[in-house]
Structure formats: structure tokens, C-alpha cells
Amino acid sequence: DPAIREIAQLQQLLLSSSLDGPLEPAAQTFLAVAASRRKEGHRHYEGIALVNAAVIFRAIGSTSQARTAAEGALDALEASSAGPERASARLVLAWALAHDGDVIDARLEVEQARIEGGTAAGIEISLELADLETWYGDSTRAQVVLDSLPSPEFMHPDQAEQRQLAEDALALRKGRGVSHFHLYRFGHSSTAAAMEARRMSQRAHSAVIRNDAAAEEYLRQARAHAESQGAGFWVNYISVLETLTLDGDAVDVALSSSLDRAPAYVGIHAEATLSRFPLLSTDTLVGLERTVRRSPCRWRETLRAEVRRPGPAKGSRLWAGRRLDVIGERQDILPLRKLAKAIQTSASTVG
């Protein structure tokens, strides 16, 4: 049966995309399938194909293509009872919004995904939300979501690994390396596109934090794998991470380029970026300020930690305070007042 053969081929294409299968051709294949199903009047299957394309475009790192495919999927599935598929489309849309700096609307999309997906999509939605908050939002929210998940032994192995990766991503954000890579299912296919690239990238990130002798080699392997697959999200993730391992003027030049080319990935590495403050030029700091304004939900927590850090009211602490004064919330008033008082005291002492 040609239809059954096609379904099997498309399923294999999805599984391949999680390992080392080229992503752009896979996405284009699903777009072609969607167009064909639309001509035939099979809107449900058009929608499913568009969801698969959207998921792959997310791994490619293209917010515009991911958003277009996800919105097309929602339109095609409008008259369908395909709640989990609609939820998957909304999760990609949420990622695109968050990546472009709109975390508030992204959270609304996730809530709508919960309504449409029901309990069948509950774990998938929570895993996606945990990553969204870790990379673009609030670490406390991410931890609450992770704590709400079932224990790994009660989850499908693929979802249990995704939970582990999400937990490790949160640890990496906080500057904590991890070492339990035996829990990563290297070489095993997954429901998530570019999963192997993620495994390799997070291993490399942890090695950098732990000052592991293998860090440079892990970075090289992760970049090579992501580039060969066309997993642009992880290429950029590794690129910024490599930048932050540089010294002297090199880090300033490379970070300035990253801020122009891929500001969302600098935000993902916000804490490590701010730790390099003494090496950054005025021009680079202007670019960094634009990124802070672009993604306030990601940067508030980082700036708050810097403002509350003991020490002189100058340098990165002063810079963080000025930025937080722009994007902060009510809870930031008192710490900012304390910082302002410290600045006045310091000025009086110098005077």
C-alpha cells in the first residue's frame, strides 16, 4: 500500500532528524507532503505534516519558518479533534515567540496548548515549558515545572531522557556542571529533532563549566555534528559558548558579532556573558543593552543577582543596576535603592 509506505518513510525521516539526518531537506519534505494533502482536501494530514516541519524548523533555529509552519498547522487542524497535534503546533509557536523576546505571549501559547492537548500531551507540554523558561525566562518557574513531572522510572525512556536534559539545562544556566552522561541515550533516536546535537552540546557546556580537559574536544565535536546536520539552534548555542571561553580582546570581538547575529543565544548564556563584563568594550555593552531590552524576562534574574552581589557599586554591578532600573519590577525597587545609596556613599568617600 503506497500510503502505508509513505507513512513509514516519513516516520523514519522524523527519527533520523533526531540523530544526524539533514534537517532542511526533511523540513522541505514535510512541507511538500502538507501541500499535497491540502490539494487532496485532507486538512488533518496537512496539519500533521506542518507540525513536523515546524518542529524541524525549530531545531534549525528559524523562528520565521517555524512560526509560519506552526500557524499553518493550527489553521489546517482547526476543524479537527487533533488536540495533541494542535498542542505541539502551539509549543513551536511559543518557542518562536520566546526566542524573539516575547516570553509573555509564549507563556499564553503554552497555556492554550494545555487546554487543547489535555492530559495526553501533559508531559510533552511540561518538558517544553521547562526548556522555554530555562532558556528565555525564569529559572524558578522552570524548576516548578520540572518538579511537577512524574519520576523518570514512570516515564517513557525518551521522555525520561528529555526530562534529564531539561534538568541539566537548568543546572548549566546556574553555572553548575553535570556528570551523569550515562543517562544520555547517545545514538538512540528520539521524538525531538536534533536530539543528538543537544546531547553533545550540553555535554560540552558542562565540560566548560567543570574546566574539563576534554572541553575543547567536546565543543569541536558538538559544533561539527550540529553544522553537518544543519541544526542551527545548537550551532549558535555552541558558538556563543565558545566565544565565552576566549580571553582578552578576542571575547569582545566575538561577542559583539554574536550580539548582532544571534542575540537570543547570548541571552541563553546570560550569566556567563555578564561574568565577562571586564573584557567588554563600550560598543559591545551598547549591543548587550539592546539584547537586555529585547529579552527582559531572561535578563531580570541575571541582573538581580549581580545587583545583590556583595562588593563595590561599580563595574558590572553598576551596569546591571542601570539596566534593571529600566526593565525591573516592583520587587527590584529596594535593591536598587540600596545600590544607589552605596554609589552615593562611595562618591562621598572619594570626595
Side-chain angles (χ1 to χ4, degrees):
D1 187 323
I4 294 176
R5 275 200 305 273
E6 182 184 65
I7 291 171
Q9 289 168 352
L10 293 176
Q11 181 64 25
Q12 184 55 45
L13 188 62
L14 270 180
L15 294 176
S16 175
S17 76
S18 72
L19 292 173
D20 56 5
L23 296 181
E24 183 64 34
Q28 295 304 321
T29 295
F30 281 111
L31 290 180
V33 170
S36 177
R37 294 297 168 269
R38 184 179 182 87
K39 277 186 178 181
E40 296 166 357
H42 296 152
R43 299 302 307 279
H44 176 81
Y45 296 108
E46 174 198 353
I48 292 175
L50 286 171
V51 169
N52 290 331
V55 168
I56 294 172
F57 281 130
R58 177 175 57 189
I60 290 172
S62 174
T63 56
S64 59
Q65 290 174 298
R67 183 180 299 197
T68 298
E71 290 173 343
L74 289 170
D75 179 63
L77 295 168
E78 186 174 6
S80 168
S81 60
E85 287 82 7
R86 285 182 60 83
S88 294
R90 289 201 181 276
L91 292 174
V92 175
L93 186 55
W95 167 80
L97 288 166
H99 194 80
D100 286 341
D102 191 353
V103 172
I104 302 302
D105 280 352
R107 289 169 178 159
L108 293 176
E109 286 294 338
V110 173
E111 289 309 306
Q112 188 61 34
R114 286 199 187 279
I115 293 170
E116 296 182 352
T119 55
I123 291 178
E124 176 195 358
I125 293 168
S126 292
L127 289 168
E128 295 282 359
L129 179 57
D131 279 341
L132 188 150
E133 292 292 350
T134 293
W135 290 332
Y136 310 111
D138 184 275
S139 69
T140 301
R141 285 173 176 259
Q143 189 63 64
V144 168
V145 173
L146 289 169
D147 289 344
S148 73
L149 287 166
S151 297
E153 58 265 30
F154 299 114
M155 300 172 73
H156 184 278
D158 183 34
Q159 290 182 327
E161 184 192 22
Q162 290 184 47
R163 173 187 173 145
Q164 187 63 60
L165 284 158
E167 289 178 344
D168 289 352
L170 183 56
L172 294 171
R173 166 173 169 160
K174 296 178 179 180
R176 299 201 302 263
V178 295
S179 58
H180 40 246
F181 300 115
H182 61 284
L183 299 176
Y184 290 11
R185 301 169 71 238
F186 285 103
H188 289 263
S189 58
S190 167
T191 55
M195 175 58 87
E196 192 79 349
R198 176 171 188 171
R199 293 163 179 149
M200 297 175 75
S201 296
Q202 291 197 189
R203 179 178 64 180
H205 192 168
S206 181
V208 169
I209 290 174
R210 293 162 60 88
N211 293 315
D212 192 313
E216 186 175 348
E217 177 60 16
Y218 283 155
L219 285 168
R220 186 197 66 76
Q221 291 176 4
R223 174 186 273 277
H225 181 94
E227 285 180 340
S228 69
Q229 189 183 21
F233 181 96
W234 296 106
V235 170
N236 284 300
Y237 182 100
I238 286 294
S239 177
V240 174
L241 185 58
E242 288 174 327
T243 290
L244 295 171
T245 66
L246 300 174
D247 293 312
D249 292 342
V251 67
D252 180 65
V253 173
L255 188 60
S256 179
S257 175
S258 295
L259 287 166
D260 289 338
R261 177 178 47 81
Y265 300 94
V266 177
I268 288 172
H269 295 290
E271 290 76 14
T273 298
L274 197 56
S275 74
R276 309 296 274 168
F277 182 90
L279 299 175
L280 305 183
S281 66
T282 300
D283 287 345
T284 299
L285 289 173
V286 169
L288 187 58
E289 181 174 4
R290 285 197 299 269
T291 297
V292 169
R293 289 173 178 265
R294 174 185 180 275
S295 306
C297 288
R298 177 61 181 89
W299 281 91
R300 281 193 195 102
E301 188 175 329
T302 307
L303 297 178
R304 284 168 180 156
E306 189 66 18
V307 166
R308 293 184 172 117
R309 181 177 58 81
K314 60 182 182 179
S316 59
R317 193 172 173 222
L318 178 57
W319 186 90
R322 288 173 174 165
R323 266 57 293 153
L324 189 59
D325 191 43
V326 175
I327 68 166
E329 298 172 322
R330 182 178 294 274
Q331 65 175 288
D332 300 309
I333 294 174
L334 183 57
L336 288 172
R337 282 179 179 171
K338 288 181 178 179
L339 179 63
K341 185 175 181 179
I343 294 170
Q344 291 171 355
T345 302
S346 177
S348 298
T349 302
V350 172

